[in-house]
Amino acid sequence: MTGAADRDAELVARYLAGDTSAFDSLMRAHQDRVFGICLRVLRDREAALDATQETFITVFRKADRFSGHSAFSTWLYRVAVNTCHDSIRRSRRHATEPLPEWNDPGDPRSGDAIAAADLRPTVETALSSLPEEFRAAVILSDLEGLSLQMVADALDVPLGTVKSRVFRGRRLLAGLLGNPEGLHDPQIGEHHA
Amino acid sequence: MHSHDPDLIAAVAEQAIGGAIGGAAAAELTACPRCSAELELQRSALDALRSLPAAAMTPAEAAGVRAGVAAALGIAPAVDPAPRRSKARWTAVTAAAALAGMLAFVPVLGLFSGGDDAAPPAMDATAFESKEGTVVSADDGGPVDPASLPENADYPADAVPPGGAGDLTAPPEGVIAAGVPPEALVGNASLAELLAAGPEDAAWTMEAPTRVALQCADAAEYALGPDFIALNAPAFLDDGREVVVYLGGDWSALVALDPADCSTALRLP
């Protein structure tokens, strides 16, 4: 494991032994990245703060199950992603949102570039409209800078699946941002696990 | 031949291949129209993602999250000299303060700590008062301009915020204390004014459910109906359990659910 992973493992051990300063160190070391993941996934600051808190509560309550065979951060990010997805599912049960306007994008052949641009979503909006599994992979890889192997560990899927999800997620994102080619997914990379 | 190799396209887009090899790979992809189009998609997506601002908590938000986690785990976090809270949190703690004020008029119920062994939060007596069955408030009972507070200081220099430090395994004195920093009260109107404002005041609006409230969202909706609003602030029974508190739409009823099984732990009146 890396130096950071070793340090995390040591902090977890100290926390389990009753050293509450280790709790504070672990939180400070990872809180921003966990919040970043949650904010990107949920797109709501308060919900992201809640999810961040819930993630850490879950992880610390189950810290005795941390084996140390994989990085603490990987486990933490997995819990964060799952917590966010749970939050989204709960929200969907309680709210029905209208389809965004850009779900019906301007016809690029119309030549009305201004009208098409007005309907184009922001990067954040486009990112949020990616399929859940693509979005998580893109966020962890391209926004949080995790290695593909770490993303695979965090999402608990094979490395090839992560490669495919990141590739196709970017492709779809580009499509949502105005490149119509990206909206046609030829299932590239599904086989290259 | 790397014709349309997604790994290669991704690597070139990410500029993960440097030097002559990277240049040769890019040239090869450019020579293939389909590969070139794929490369452009990958690059444009990466450029868009890199244009996003960094997502970070403010120091106050980070301190609030750490305090919340510590409270849930029953451990004492370090006190942060954090800035004031965001508006959303502000309205939440305002409502929490109002709830505490409301309960101050309700005699002897399970939410009161009551016991002699419940350690009162250590407060700066010159700035705040803490009375059992009530809440901490400005000592003159009037509003205090938040701008008059020290910069980057949530709490008076020698005060320990309720729930911010000390033994969180013991229930805090009063009804709702943990997570409600003193400035939530000194920065707003007096309790009497808060109560008089009632549910019509925008400040009562809850903008997001708390973590424990989410656990019981379904049960609460089923049992209480849509007129009850979950308070976005921690509340504890006198045995230390955290509960989810709901206020009725007419602001006359209160229900506390135990997040462990979403059963009703307390109902007022």
Side-chain angles (χ1 to χ4, degrees):
Chain A
M1 279 196 286
T2 65
D6 289 339
R7 187 175 64 248
D8 285 347
E10 180 193 336
L11 287 170
V12 171
R14 281 170 46 195
Y15 168 74
L16 290 171
D19 180 354
T20 54
S21 70
F23 154 82
D24 205 54
S25 298
L26 279 166
M27 282 216 64
R28 289 176 187 274
H30 296 285
Q31 63 190 16
D32 282 337
R33 184 166 257 173
V34 169
F35 174 72
I37 292 168
C38 293
L39 186 60
R40 299 300 187 199
V41 173
L42 297 172
R43 288 192 70 229
D44 180 287
R45 195 167 189 88
E46 284 297 310
L49 288 169
D50 283 347
T52 301
Q53 188 163 315
E54 191 175 332
T55 295
F56 279 107
I57 291 171
T58 300
V59 163
F60 280 113
R61 279 184 175 157
K62 296 179 178 177
D64 57 338
R65 301 183 199 174
F66 175 62
S67 64
H69 294 134
S70 61
F72 171 78
S73 57
T74 302
W75 179 43
L76 181 64
Y77 303 152
R78 182 186 301 180
V79 173
V81 170
N82 289 340
T83 300
C84 292
H85 287 171
D86 287 346
S87 176
I88 290 170
R89 288 182 195 110
R90 281 193 297 258
S91 299
R92 281 178 185 157
R93 284 208 301 267
H94 295 282
T96 302
E97 295 182 9
L99 288 172
E101 286 183 14
W102 47 265
N103 213 38
D104 183 18
D107 183 352
R109 293 167 300 181
S110 70
D112 191 347
I114 296 175
D118 287 343
L119 292 175
R120 193 174 297 168
T122 64
V123 178
E124 295 264 16
T125 312
L127 182 62
S128 73
S129 68
L130 292 180
E132 212 167 77
E133 64 273 21
F134 289 7
R135 183 164 76 243
V138 168
I139 288 169
L140 293 175
S141 167
D142 294 343
L143 287 176
E144 296 304 323
L146 270 60
S147 70
L148 290 173
Q149 185 58 60
M150 281 192 75
V151 178
D153 291 342
L155 299 180
D156 201 20
V157 296
L159 177 60
T161 302
V162 166
K163 287 182 180 179
S164 174
R165 288 180 182 179
V166 170
F167 192 90
R168 295 170 63 195
R170 287 179 191 160
R171 200 174 192 286
L172 186 52
L173 186 70
L176 291 168
L177 290 170
N179 190 330
E181 285 292 317
L183 297 176
H184 305 291
D185 186 351
Q187 303 290 307
I188 290 172
E190 277 292 74
H191 60 284
H192 74 114
Chain B
M1 181 67 180
H2 296 289
S3 180
H4 216 270
D5 178 350
D7 285 348
L8 181 65
I9 294 171
V12 171
E14 294 164 6
Q15 297 180 309
I17 310 173
I21 298 175
E28 182 180 327
L29 293 177
T30 305
C32 156
R34 191 175 166 208
C35 304
S36 184
E38 291 295 345
L39 180 61
E40 180 53 34
L41 287 171
Q42 295 290 307
R43 279 177 171 160
S44 64
L46 280 168
D47 287 345
L49 291 166
R50 287 167 182 157
S51 73
L52 291 173
M57 286 187 283
T58 65
E61 289 171 338
V65 167
R66 285 197 299 276
V69 176
L73 299 173
I75 60 178
V79 176
D80 288 272
R84 299 179 189 95
R85 293 185 170 204
S86 68
K87 180 178 179 294
R89 299 262 154 175
W90 184 275
T91 57
V93 292
T94 299
L99 169 65
M102 185 177 84
L103 289 182
F105 301 101
V106 181
V108 192
L109 288 158
L111 279 174
F112 293 94
S113 58
D116 292 333
D117 57 346
M123 300 296 298
D124 178 355
T126 63
F128 307 103
E129 293 177 350
S130 180
K131 299 175 182 176
E132 185 169 349
T134 64
V135 296
V136 290
S137 62
D139 58 356
D140 62 2
V144 175
D145 180 5
S148 67
L149 294 173
E151 192 63 32
N152 293 329
D154 255 351
Y155 314 110
D158 54 350
V160 178
D167 182 8
L168 288 175
T169 57
E173 182 168 299
V175 180
I176 292 180
V180 183
E183 87 276 25
L185 299 172
V186 299
N188 286 278
S190 68
L191 287 177
E193 288 169 326
L194 288 169
L195 287 170
E200 300 304 317
D201 190 292
W204 299 99
T205 304
M206 297 295 97
E207 297 191 11
T210 61
R211 296 140 294 282
V212 290
L214 284 171
Q215 291 175 222
C216 294
D218 287 337
E221 187 176 359
Y222 176 78
L224 305 176
D227 291 337
F228 276 74
I229 299 173
L231 278 180
N232 191 10
F236 298 87
L237 298 180
D238 55 8
D239 61 3
R241 280 183 298 157
E242 186 174 6
V243 292
V244 192
V245 174
Y246 293 84
L247 276 171
D250 58 359
W251 239 247
S252 60
L254 177 149
V255 175
L257 300 185
D258 183 344
D261 56 6
C262 297
S263 60
T264 300
L266 177 74
R267 180 181 284 271
L268 298 176

